[in-house]
Structures are given as C-alpha cells and as structure tokens.
C-alpha cells in the first residue's frame, strides 16, 4: 500500500517513517503542519529497528534525570496514542531489573527514580526467588522492580502513529528510497526515483540506514546485527500476566526479555556486543554463529533454567549505536532547518512517542519541552555546534 503525494511543496518532510519519524509525523500533522513522510519500505516492516515485538518501557532509567523525565512523558503519550488509535499498545507487566553488583549497580538508578516520583522497589535475590519461583538468582545479585513499567507492542505502535498521522492529513510515500538531499536557506529538497519533494524544513530519522544519506549527513553511528530468541518454558510461571519483563546484567553480558505472550515462549536478547552491518547487506540468518543461540540459552540456563527449553522462534534485528550509546537529537551542523534524530542504540524505541513530539516542536521553530542537551551532536566534535534549541 502506498499513500502517494499530489503536492510537491510541504512545510516539513520526514525521511524515515519508522518509530521516531512516524511519531513526529503525527504530532506535526495534528498541529496543522503540511507533512510528508518518505520511507524506503512500508512501515511497520522488518528492515528497521522496530520489528520483532515487543519492547520494554521502563521509568527508573540510567543516564540521569533527563532520561527519566523522557520516559515518564513517553508513557503518558503512549497511553494517549492507545486511546486515540483504538489499538492495544502497552501492557503493564512490571519490569524486573536484575544485576550482579560486581558488574553493574542499580542503586544510582533507584535514587534518581525515587526523586522523580517513579514507583520502584528494591529486592534482594531471596525476595526475587520467592516472588518469581522460576528465577534461580545467585545470592549476590540485586533487583529493582518497577510495577508500573511493562512493554509496548512495537509494530502496533508504529501502525497507530501511521493511522493517526494520515487521519490528520499527513501524506506518506512508501517503498521509496531517498537518493539524495539538498538544502539551501529556507528550503530542503528530497530526491527520490519517483520525483523530488520540497519543504521548508526536514527531519531525518533513518535509523540504521543513516549511511544511505551521506554525504548530506554523516553521523558517528555504527549499525550492528543483533539476535533475539523465543524459548519454550516449563509450567505457567513465565506466562504474560504472571511474569514481568526483565533486564539482566551479568559478567557474561547484558540481557533483556519478556514473558511468554500467548504461548510464544519467553523472549530474550543480548543488549551488548553485535556484528557490524551495512545498509544494503542482508544480515546473516539466526544460527549463522553458535553464539546466536548459545549466549541466550546460557543466560537462561544460569538464571531461569525452566525457560531454557526448545528454541521456538528467532529473529535478527538491528541496533544503531553511537560511541556513548546516547541518542543524537540536534540540528544539521550546516543547515539550521534540518533536524536529525538517530543513534538510538537499542534502547530508544520506548522514547519514540516523546521524541516525535519534541521533533515536531523543533521543526516548527518552537522550544522543546524536554531537556535534549545531552543529545547534541557536538559532543562528538570539538567544533561549535548548536544544541537542540528553536
């Protein structure tokens, strides 16, 4: 399906209509801004960073107060989008963060969360084992439980914002790769094989495909191949409604996962590491490397052995990593009417509602309502650059 455009001039063009771009498109269109979204595929799709649902949304976040404030605002916006779209987007499963304190401390995250009014509960290993008998956690491990957190149905989230954006008058061109971008004072032209499209401003949110926009913009982003697996569980203790989403920090790696949803199996992925991937290449299939299944199974066998059954399903996805794993939300270094949102480093999806809202404000020359200073592109370059301001 393709919603093609009849106009050739817009207020804002969004290049990349995944989670961030589609959200921004909705908030712009809702404000009466003539908005065009262009995507190389047909979102939601399996070529970006939003497929293979679900995605965790946590509020007791590492990285300081700015992240926690973003997470709380994102939560409110997801609930609004759910009500407006009629689609089920969020499941309040709770999220249990577990960590070996020799590797990672949860204390700083708890302190920041409490100051921001986040509901969070500190648990020792014995309390975790008692509450969730399927977890066999070593005594030294610690836990932080967030009862109001949970997970998002990622593809439904993108679909919701797509439907809402179109309902408010946004236009969408799909299966149309961008072949180039040119900009001059007060205008941006996006070139595609099907024609050129002009606007007064642009938002670039190409995810793992940012390299295809060079030389117009070149960012310190490395796209990497990641894998996830769904494993058969014993009994019903890992089922949705009884088991929370989780994160797990061990000396063997950092992992995240979800309960078994409708019998699909417990989903687990590894957050760290990954194999470099380049846009246009076909990522190696799951199982190409022994660690694809091996790392996930080893983590489950060590802590949740009753969830380390048969591999029921697998998927390959993509991260877009910045050197410090923090986001990039800033102006183009040479064109003040072009905004960039990228480098979401495998933990950005939960924020796409609020990031879209903020990008919509910036593209309208309005002040952001969130603190975006730590996401400035200038942190990777000693040359002066404008942080995210109107």
């Amino acid at each position: 399906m393709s919603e093609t455009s009849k106009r050739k001039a817009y207020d804002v063009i969004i290049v990349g209509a995944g989670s961030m771009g589609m959200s921004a498109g909705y908030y712009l269109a809702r404000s009466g801004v003539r908005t065009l979204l262009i995507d190389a595929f047909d979102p939601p799709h399996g070529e970006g960073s939003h497929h293979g649902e679900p995605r965790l949304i946590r509020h007791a976040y590492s990285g300081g107060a700015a992240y926690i404030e973003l997470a709380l605002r994102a939560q409110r916006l997801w609930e609004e989008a759910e009500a407006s779209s009629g689609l089920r987007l969020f499941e309040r499963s709770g999220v249990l963060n577990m960590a070996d304190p020799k590797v990672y401390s949860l204390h700083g995250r708890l302190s920041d969360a409490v100051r921001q009014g986040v509901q969070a509960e500190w648990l020792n290993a014995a309390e975790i084992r008692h509450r969730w008998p399927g977890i066999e956690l070593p005594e030294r491990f610690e836990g932080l439980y967030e009862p109001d957190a949970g997970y998002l149905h990622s593809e439904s989230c993108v679909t919701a914002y797509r439907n809402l954006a179109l309902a408010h008058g946004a236009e969408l061109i799909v299966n149309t790769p961008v072949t180039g971008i040119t900009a001059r004072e007060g205008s941006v032209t996006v070139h595609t094989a099907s024609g050129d499209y002009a606007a007064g401003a642009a938002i670039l949110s190409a995810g793992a495909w940012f390299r295809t926009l060079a030389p117009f913009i070149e960012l310190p982003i490395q796209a990497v191949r990641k894998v996830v697996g769904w494993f058969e569980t014993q009994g019903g203790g890992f089922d949705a409604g009884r088991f929370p989403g989780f994160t797990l920090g061990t000396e063997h790696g950092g992992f995240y996962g979800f309960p078994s949803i409708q019998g699909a199996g417990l989903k687990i992925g590894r957050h760290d590491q990954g194999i470099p991937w380049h846009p246009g290449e076909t990522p190696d299939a799951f199982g190409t490397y022994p660690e694809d299944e091996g790392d996930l199974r080893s983590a489950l066998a060590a802590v949740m052995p009753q969830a380390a059954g048969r591999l029921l399903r697998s998927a390959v996805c993509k991260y877009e990593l910045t050197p410090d794993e923090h986001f990039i939300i800033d102006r183009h270094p040479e064109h003040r009417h072009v905004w960039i949102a990228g480098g979401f480093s495998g933990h950005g999806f939960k924020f796409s509602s609020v990031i879209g809202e903020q990008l919509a404000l910036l593209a309208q020359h309005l002040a952001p309502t969130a603190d975006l200073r730590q996401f400035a592109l200038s942190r990777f370059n000693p040359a002066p650059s404008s942080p995210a301001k109107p």
Side-chain angles (χ1 to χ4, degrees), residues 69-140:
E69 291 170 3
L70 281 174
L72 292 172
R73 177 62 179 166
Q75 180 72 53
R76 290 191 291 272
L77 292 177
W78 286 124
E79 292 170 0
E80 289 178 10
E82 185 174 82
S84 298
S85 68
L87 296 176
R88 182 77 172 187
L89 305 182
F90 170 67
E91 303 289 347
R92 185 171 277 105
S93 65
V95 172
L96 175 63
N97 304 280
M98 300 170 283
D100 182 343
K102 295 193 303 182
V103 177
Y104 183 77
S105 173
L106 297 169
H107 286 281
R109 186 188 300 184
L110 176 64
S111 299
D112 289 343
V114 170
R115 281 195 293 270
Q116 297 288 334
V118 174
Q119 294 296 312
E121 183 179 1
W122 185 261
L123 300 173
N124 61 33
E127 291 168 326
I128 292 172
R129 293 194 301 266
H130 175 73
R131 192 172 299 188
W132 297 281
I135 299 176
E136 299 182 7
L137 207 62
E139 286 297 329
R140 68 178 182 275

Side-chain angles (χ1 to χ4, degrees), residues 61 67 220 226 271-273 319-328 342-348 374-375 379-380:
Y61 219 75
Y67 273 113
K226 305 290 290 184
H271 178 71
D272 58 332
Q273 297 190 341
Y319 274 20
E320 34 166 323
L321 298 171
T322 62
D324 59 9
E325 296 192 14
H326 295 300
F327 313 150
I328 297 172
F344 291 103
S345 300
H347 65 110
Q374 74 184 82
F375 308 129
R379 71 186 190 272
F380 301 118

Side-chain angles (χ1 to χ4, degrees), residues 3-17 21 25 28-29 33-39 169-174 190 192 196-199 201-203:
E3 293 85 355
T4 56
S5 166
K6 294 181 180 179
R7 294 195 300 262
K8 294 294 183 180
Y10 299 86
D11 297 320
V12 180
I13 295 177
I14 298 172
V15 176
L28 283 167
V33 177
R34 292 181 301 164
T35 305
L36 174 65
L37 299 109
I38 303 176
D39 200 89
E171 298 183 28
L172 172 64
I173 299 177
V174 300
V190 177
T192 75
D196 296 344
Y197 301 88
I203 295 170

